[in-house]
Amino acid sequence: MNPSESAQIGQDIYALIKTLYPICRSITGDGVRNTLSILQQQFPLNIREVASGTQVFDWVVPKEWNIRDAYIKNKRGERVVDFQQHNLHVVSYSLPVHKTLPLAEVKPHIYSLPQQPEWIPYKTTYYNENWGFCMAHNEFAELIDEEYEVCIDSTLADGSLTYGEWLIQGDTDEEVVLFSHLCHPSLCNDNLSGIAVVIFLAKYLQQRTNRYSYRVIFAPGTIGSITWLSENQNHLDRIKHGLVIALVGDRGAFTYKKSRRGDTEIDRVANHVLRAHSASASIVDFTPYGYDERQFCSPGINLPVGRLTRTPNGCYPEYHTSADDLDFVTPQSLAESLALCLQIIDVLEWNRRFLNTNPMCEPQLGKRGLYRNTGGANIEQREFALLWALNLSDGENSVLDIAERSGIAFDVIHAAACDLERCGLLKFLP
Amino acid sequence: MNPSESAQIGQDIYALIKTLYPICRSITGDGVRNTLSILQQQFPLNIREVASGTQVFDWVVPKEWNIRDAYIKNKRGERVVDFQQHNLHVVSYSLPVHKTLPLAEVKPHIYSLPQQPEWIPYKTTYYNENWGFCMAHNEFAELIDEEYEVCIDSTLADGSLTYGEWLIQGDTDEEVVLFSHLCHPSLCNDNLSGIAVVIFLAKYLQQRTNRYSYRVIFAPGTIGSITWLSENQNHLDRIKHGLVIALVGDRGAFTYKKSRRGDTEIDRVANHVLRAHSASASIVDFTPYGYDERQFCSPGINLPVGRLTRTPNGCYPEYHTSADDLDFVTPQSLAESLALCLQIIDVLEWNRRFLNTNPMCEPQLGKRGLYRNTGGANIEQREFALLWALNLSDGENSVLDIAERSGIAFDVIHAAACDLERCGLLKFLP
Amino acid sequence: MNPSESAQIGQDIYALIKTLYPICRSITGDGVRNTLSILQQQFPLNIREVASGTQVFDWVVPKEWNIRDAYIKNKRGERVVDFQQHNLHVVSYSLPVHKTLPLAEVKPHIYSLPQQPEWIPYKTTYYNENWGFCMAHNEFAELIDEEYEVCIDSTLADGSLTYGEWLIQGDTDEEVVLFSHLCHPSLCNDNLSGIAVVIFLAKYLQQRTNRYSYRVIFAPGTIGSITWLSENQNHLDRIKHGLVIALVGDRGAFTYKKSRRGDTEIDRVANHVLRAHSASASIVDFTPYGYDERQFCSPGINLPVGRLTRTPNGCYPEYHTSADDLDFVTPQSLAESLALCLQIIDVLEWNRRFLNTNPMCEPQLGKRGLYRNTGGANIEQREFALLWALNLSDGENSVLDIAERSGIAFDVIHAAACDLERCGLLKFLP
């Protein structure tokens, strides 16, 4: 991608986020369906509906939640909290309620952030039947002691959980999973950024030939990945690598969280690409807390699935508040995240093993036009790459192994290996 | 142990040391027997006598040494060196002697410390028949050139080597050895501190139920552990872990010396406990010099036995001198050492493996009352501990493994695992 | 070696370099033959001739190159470049030429170093038929625009490649290869230093009894080692260790470059000896660029062959220029390099495993006269060495393993092991 293509794609990703931002998503309901419909305009997706009550491992698909309106009105009939203004104002999965109550009885149902008094927090009550509102602490503090009309016009009823999925068929049936959670309401970085970057990544992969098949999944966090894993438990052996992609729109440095195993190929590839990308990138160990990597890396599943974010969950003050808005993510960061994902995928695609067909001493590169003809004191990086590729292509080492041992970029080693393969000095190992 | 219990137990340990301090112990003889009798008033011990001349591996149990009196008298009949004043004045295992000699012929038999002129050194001559005195260098320097009456009223004759032993039977026959050497005369830290702490540790373990059986051994250094190992050589496979405990009364930081293997469970447990206890604690590699870990870790024995001290042998100036006295050890240090030993033992006792009974994705903790109900930005350490215990309980990892990988204290992981076990989400692995 | 022997041997090595310096060597030809004849005056060598056109793995032994004279004359008949003054003036393997050409047509055939304007560079054109001159950039800049007579009186014709080899038979047929390249013309450090040090090393080894057999090889770089490996490909399993020795006359610190495997015995031995020798010594990882270790460490050969230099190739400005002259190397550095090679060899020779014949507890060293008799606070390094040698001689650990784990010098552990072997407490393992 050249700079102007990159600028354009950043704008396109950002535009998609802008379209999706107003929708009130949750782990089920029409917000999820509307979001997936909009994504389908960009990229083919199969939409799956899984009925409430379905057993998925230790969990049960919950009732479906939908909401039309919610507010708190003061005595003068003014909405002091208004779902129409911001969908974070209602605690997700709140039961319907319509009552007039004194302030003292409303207060236990209101969440605010005294430390960040202008931001609305994001709260959920998926598995505990309750209702609640969220509001800026400044406004909360101004509520006077009177009666308030509280109304949440929601429904919680049998229905289904909705997710979207598509397989980009590659040369082989070996799959790379790209997973992004889509259960959050109006929060841009978490996780419209992940959804939009994965859509554009998928569009790009769809239009070219790939060695691996790529399975993109957009599903609600936790219950969505559990549902998907439960439904696909007999086919998990197809998954060779995976990435959970989330929180990739902010201005922070990249963070790759390793899979539970910690030494898988995706872990090594992501480490190589992030280290080459920037000294400020972080590689962190697996922990069983975070996003859907928790499920892919549960002990009975234990797939080689890592997670790519910029600043991780909980590590920026705007996290899970109304300040995670359209200003918090930038077209530039989004384009850069897309490019980094592609680099990781390209290294995965090209990380193969070669075999030196002439392993006894070095072959004579000069007669094959691969080497300078006049000996002296200098040697070029390209020649080093040729020598490394020959020396380590003993059937044990992949291109990434050679890149890491030599300290030469993956691309340079890969190009050298391809040149040597064309000369017959290396051959691909399947 | 609460602070006042701890203060009391420190006083009790110190009181025992005070009782044992005046006795002149050596590797054999009545000093050892008297010491063991006093210990028996605190805790049951079987006393073993092994006859002089008994072959124990490459060694032979030596003749028994006893002493009644020893002195050097000047011309005026004054005792310028007097065993009755301090039993360090006589070189341990000195042959009987009674002669009048000029100073020049006495001098080669006198040891002093020019660098520490007020302290009496501690010397032995177990396997080289000789006699000698130790004295403060200041007093040595004042000896005038005249004739002296030297007298050592000792006996070296066939007899036996004495040691004490007790097994605290646990739920299993797997044994943890707690070894403390008791061959030193009036030296408090080396090793009345070890003896007294082990006695109180044993009393505590005796009164509760334990998974392991605990074998406490009080024997002379080197020849005592060699004798014990020789007599028990057919049962050594019962020993799963062991600690040599010595020099635990001074004010220095704790030092754990690893077993010869270096990566055994006791090594990992002690490392975990000491690191959690204090940043100034040291973990040092095995060396074949020190106390009875030398024998337990000889190549043909090679048991997982480490050593716990505070400041190690040879690393404090008072070591093996009369300055290792009742002021050098403190009730506080002794109580803290006891508590640390107990922590090590408790981690050993509870370091078991669990199996996640629901390994496919996370189980739903909320419905079991183990998890907060309202989702948001925060999570508590206890919840992390639950997630780690679930995630790593794949049959491979012990509670200690989980504590180390997660960076969470052993106790917190252990408590979480027990809660999960009560819910049926984990089960114990035998 | 005592200081005066060392000073003498440094002078002797330097004198040999001085004798060899004027000869114009290349990868084939009479320069190589004359060099080997002079070496034969010092040490027996078998001279091998391998005919041009012989296939050696992927390569073909090239035509033989010889040169009598070469110059560039100006209009006044003055030699502005004169091979008789310095043999670096002609590009090695230049085709014969005799023409009168304008400056513009001569210039593309002239190499100089603008950054180092007083030094003549060293250039070769072995596998690309061409001709050329090298000269100081200052003199090059003074060439005026006129016609020049260029003459290279060389021959490139069927002949042979010449190398020298000798086996110093040891107690076993297990071989240590000592390889030094001899293809460079008047360059002292690269590699008359290596050649001369290896000759004196070989003379020393020849006059004593060794456990290993030592195979010394003097051959041209790259094509020489390829030829040797090709001719000896069925006997490579005899080679247990090897060192390429080159660039050992300069004043820089030692650098050991590990074998491709990186953890072989020669790698560990060289690391131990260099670290003990000086804090400024470097141990560097294998790379497939450098000298003949490239061939010994090609993937199909993969022998445990490392490389010893002082400052490595390309890491000093004088490298491959006329400044690598008789002032650049010193008798002192050469003597020190010889001594270091001998230390490496002695550790290899004595790095054996012993078995503790009394592995149950420590043996009683005192009764065998190996231990101080009066116990107290101190212990000597020699006693530590005895205890370490006993403790780790379980059949797994070599003397080097024991030295590394104990932190005690190889020689001290080795001496202790020999004493214990004399007492029957250790026995040699074959």
Side-chain angles (χ1 to χ4, degrees), chain B residues 299-337:
Chain B
I301 307 282
N302 205 19
L303 284 168
V305 173
R307 187 191 76 187
L308 183 73
T309 63
R310 285 172 167 277
T311 313
N313 50 316
C315 298
Y316 50 95
E318 297 86 353
Y319 177 71
H320 277 195
T321 75
S322 57
D324 179 2
D325 61 11
L326 286 164
D327 291 332
F328 189 66
V329 299
T330 74
Q332 223 166 322
S333 289
L334 293 159
E336 196 189 30
S337 297

Side-chain angles (χ1 to χ4, degrees), chain B residues 21-97:
Chain B
Y21 182 59
I23 300 171
C24 181
R25 281 163 294 272
S26 183
I27 54 174
T28 60
D30 290 331
V32 174
R33 281 186 201 96
N34 295 341
T35 299
L36 289 167
S37 299
I38 292 168
L39 298 183
Q40 279 181 317
Q41 296 164 15
Q42 297 278 346
F43 183 78
L45 282 176
N46 292 321
I47 311 295
R48 319 269 186 194
E49 300 280 352
V50 182
S52 301
T54 305
Q55 186 78 30
V56 288
F57 295 128
D58 189 55
W59 302 63
V60 170
V61 173
K63 291 181 182 167
E64 181 176 326
W65 184 71
N66 283 291
I67 184 164
R68 274 158 303 277
D69 197 8
Y71 56 81
I72 302 177
K73 277 191 188 158
N74 64 14
K75 290 271 268 215
R76 285 163 304 287
E78 297 159 346
R79 290 189 170 203
V80 297
V81 176
D82 184 0
F83 173 75
Q84 305 301 338
Q85 296 299 315
H86 205 303
N87 59 42
L88 289 182
H89 275 311
V90 72
V91 171
S92 193
Y93 259 65
S94 281
L95 293 179
V97 65

Side-chain angles (χ1 to χ4, degrees), chain B residues 48-296:
Chain B
R48 319 269 186 194
E49 300 280 352
V50 182
S52 301
T54 305
Q55 186 78 30
V56 288
F57 295 128
D58 189 55
W59 302 63
V60 170
V61 173
K63 291 181 182 167
E64 181 176 326
W65 184 71
N66 283 291
I67 184 164
R68 274 158 303 277
D69 197 8
Y71 56 81
I72 302 177
K73 277 191 188 158
N74 64 14
K75 290 271 268 215
R76 285 163 304 287
E78 297 159 346
R79 290 189 170 203
V80 297
V81 176
D82 184 0
F83 173 75
Q84 305 301 338
Q85 296 299 315
H86 205 303
N87 59 42
L88 289 182
H89 275 311
V90 72
V91 171
S92 193
Y93 259 65
S94 281
L95 293 179
V97 65
H98 198 169
K99 293 186 194 172
T100 299
L101 296 169
L103 180 61
E105 290 180 37
V106 183
K107 271 191 170 175
H109 291 273
I110 299 184
Y111 300 89
S112 68
L113 297 168
Q115 307 294 325
Q116 305 283 8
E118 305 198 344
W119 299 349
I120 310 164
Y122 164 54
K123 289 281 174 192
T124 66
T125 186
Y126 303 140
Y127 301 102
N128 183 37
E129 299 207 341
N130 202 344
W131 58 268
F133 290 89
C134 297
M135 65 190 294
H137 193 71
N138 282 345
E139 296 179 11
F140 174 69
E142 281 169 16
L143 294 182
I144 59 175
D145 192 4
E146 61 179 5
E147 296 223 315
Y148 289 91
E149 178 191 349
V150 298
C151 172
I152 298 179
D153 180 11
S154 66
T155 55
L156 184 63
D158 280 344
S160 60
L161 176 150
T162 314
Y163 66 85
E165 179 180 8
W166 186 259
L167 183 73
I168 305 167
Q169 181 64 46
D171 293 342
T172 69
D173 289 334
E174 297 189 330
E175 291 185 12
V176 179
V177 162
L178 303 172
F179 185 100
S180 218
H181 63 273
L182 91 166
C183 48
H184 287 40
S186 294
L187 296 165
C188 281
N189 200 39
D190 184 5
N191 183 33
L192 295 175
S193 69
I195 294 165
V197 164
V198 171
I199 279 290
F200 279 83
L201 184 59
K203 285 168 75 165
Y204 185 87
L205 294 172
Q206 177 96 317
Q207 80 196 8
R208 73 175 199 186
T209 302
N210 301 295
R211 168 182 166 202
Y212 288 111
S213 296
Y214 289 83
R215 184 175 297 277
V216 295
I217 307 170
F218 302 97
T222 305
I223 187 66
S225 50
I226 291 170
T227 299
W228 188 89
L229 285 162
S230 175
E231 296 199 317
N232 292 277
Q233 60 187 291
N234 296 326
H235 312 298
L236 299 181
D237 55 341
R238 290 180 196 153
I239 300 176
K240 299 306 171 193
H241 319 281
L243 270 181
V244 169
I245 298 174
L247 283 57
V248 288
D250 64 284
R251 295 160 178 87
F254 287 107
T255 300
Y256 176 76
K257 175 179 168 180
K258 290 194 231 177
S259 75
R260 181 178 184 269
R261 297 186 200 163
D263 60 352
T264 66
E265 190 173 349
I266 184 72
D267 296 319
R268 296 184 58 229
V269 166
N271 178 68
H272 187 83
V273 170
L274 266 72
R275 296 243 175 271
H277 179 272
S278 154
S280 59
S282 300
I283 309 295
V284 300
D285 284 335
F286 176 76
T287 64
Y289 187 65
Y291 290 108
D292 295 277
E293 69 279 6
R294 294 161 73 157
Q295 311 311 329
F296 286 99

Side-chain angles (χ1 to χ4, degrees), chain A residues 287-288, chain B residues 384-385 388-389 392 399-409 413:
Chain A
T287 65
Chain B
F384 277 121
W388 276 110
L392 294 183
V399 174
L400 180 60
D401 293 327
I402 302 172
E404 297 213 324
R405 181 158 173 190
S406 68
I408 298 174
I413 297 289

